[in-house]
Amino acid sequence: MSGHSHWATTKHAKAAADAKKGKIFSRIAKEIMLASKVNADPNTNPALRTLIEKGRKANMPKDNIENAIKKGAGTLEGAAAFEEITYEGYAAGGVGLIVNVLTDNKNRAAAEVGHIFKRNGSDFATRGSVSRNFERKGTILVASDAKMGDTPITEDALMEIVLEAGAEDLVATDDGYEITTSPSDYQAVVTALEQKGIPTVSSEVAYLPIEGTMVAVNDLALAKQILKFVNAVDDNEDVQEVFHNADIPDDILEQAQAEL
């Protein structure tokens, strides 16, 4: 996808699945419950504060957010003991997939996700065989017309703020300013932006394809096959995120999504 970052490629390819609000709310609620188990006060738990903001941006009802916090803190019944699991595998064309799962039943998750892989002519890969082509990074997107208070933010000013907070890089893309951090510095950079009153479009710790490992997908039929697989995995209730290294041109991606 010329002109787009690897992060944007992954995001755009998941757009159809991410549009399902109920699924988004469920995912964020699980993350909020986990963060609230550590500390249920967003004033002193920046990770929880970031997740609450993520919920608000997704138009998650306030009651859903508050109930997730209470469940995580143990003041409201219904909290489950979630376990984080990562599966690896391949889609058509040799495209690598990393599937992050957050589940209260790992046997169910393994069986259901494994069934989706088999239904799409694949299977789980050996641990590390796919993930070696990815790196875990904090990724934060700031809109190109974002303001710091009433003042439009410049690239130089934004770079100074985020680098001082520990960011690794800032790149101007078609989608705005993409900030990259190590996972350990991610929260500090998010907090620095928050303190300066600079809004973010989105932010997360994600698996990004390492430079040179993207798989070019220039065939519509192949693109549809890959996206169908990604969406099927993404639809599973235990799946939190699906990352891949397919490099699909915008025109093919849009047509494939329209035909699915």
Side-chain angles (χ1 to χ4, degrees):
M1 294 171 67
S2 179
H4 288 287
S5 66
H6 292 170
W7 181 40
T9 300
T10 300
K11 285 298 178 184
H12 292 169
K14 297 196 305 95
D18 284 350
K20 299 171 184 175
K21 293 295 183 183
K23 177 70 172 178
I24 295 176
F25 296 164
S26 174
R27 285 175 170 169
I28 297 174
K30 286 181 182 179
E31 293 175 339
I32 288 175
M33 279 188 271
L34 278 181
S36 298
K37 283 185 179 180
V38 178
N39 177 359
D41 182 2
N43 294 315
T44 56
N45 184 343
L48 175 58
R49 193 164 63 244
T50 299
L51 288 170
I52 291 172
E53 182 60 25
K54 183 178 180 180
R56 287 173 179 162
K57 287 178 179 176
N59 295 316
M60 187 174 178
K62 184 179 179 181
D63 286 350
N64 292 33
I65 295 173
E66 292 178 350
N67 287 341
I69 294 173
K70 290 175 183 177
K71 286 179 181 178
T75 59
L76 183 68
E77 292 184 1
F82 291 112
E83 184 174 355
E84 295 182 83
I85 308 168
T86 300
Y87 301 116
E88 303 178 24
Y90 292 94
V95 169
L97 298 182
I98 296 180
V99 182
N100 281 349
V101 164
L102 192 55
T103 182
D104 58 354
N105 187 327
K106 64 179 182 181
N107 292 330
R108 178 193 67 214
E112 291 184 356
V113 177
H115 178 67
I116 296 169
F117 268 69
K118 287 183 171 62
R119 202 169 65 222
N120 284 272
S122 186
D123 205 342
F124 293 145
T126 305
R127 188 173 181 84
S129 60
V130 176
S131 57
R132 67 184 179 186
N133 292 322
F134 292 74
E135 54 187 347
R136 198 138 169 83
K137 293 289 183 181
T139 53
I140 305 162
L141 188 65
V142 174
S144 54
D145 59 353
K147 294 182 178 180
M148 184 167 56
D150 295 327
T151 307
I153 192 73
T154 65
E155 183 176 349
D156 289 342
L158 183 60
M159 182 171 290
E160 182 178 349
I161 292 167
V162 299
L163 291 182
E164 186 174 326
E168 294 179 351
D169 198 10
L170 180 149
V171 176
T173 73
D174 291 353
D175 300 291
Y177 300 111
E178 183 182 324
I179 302 157
T180 307
T181 79
S182 67
S184 59
D185 289 325
Y186 164 74
Q187 196 58 60
V189 176
V190 170
T191 300
L193 293 169
E194 182 184 89
Q195 290 174 343
K196 292 291 185 179
I198 302 171
T200 60
V201 176
S202 60
S203 68
E204 66 177 344
V205 177
Y207 282 98
L208 301 184
I210 294 171
E211 197 69 36
T213 67
M214 298 288 284
V215 178
V217 178
N218 298 307
D219 177 75
L220 177 60
L222 179 59
K224 287 170 64 176
Q225 188 176 352
I226 292 167
L227 293 181
K228 182 181 178 182
F229 189 178
V230 170
N231 290 343
V233 174
D234 200 61
D235 278 344
N236 181 269
E237 65 176 323
D238 289 318
V239 173
Q240 289 290 105
E241 289 280 357
V242 184
F243 301 100
H244 65 81
N245 62 347
D247 188 5
I248 308 173
D250 284 345
D251 56 341
I252 293 178
L253 178 60
E254 290 171 6
Q255 187 175 349
Q257 287 177 330
E259 295 182 8
L260 285 177

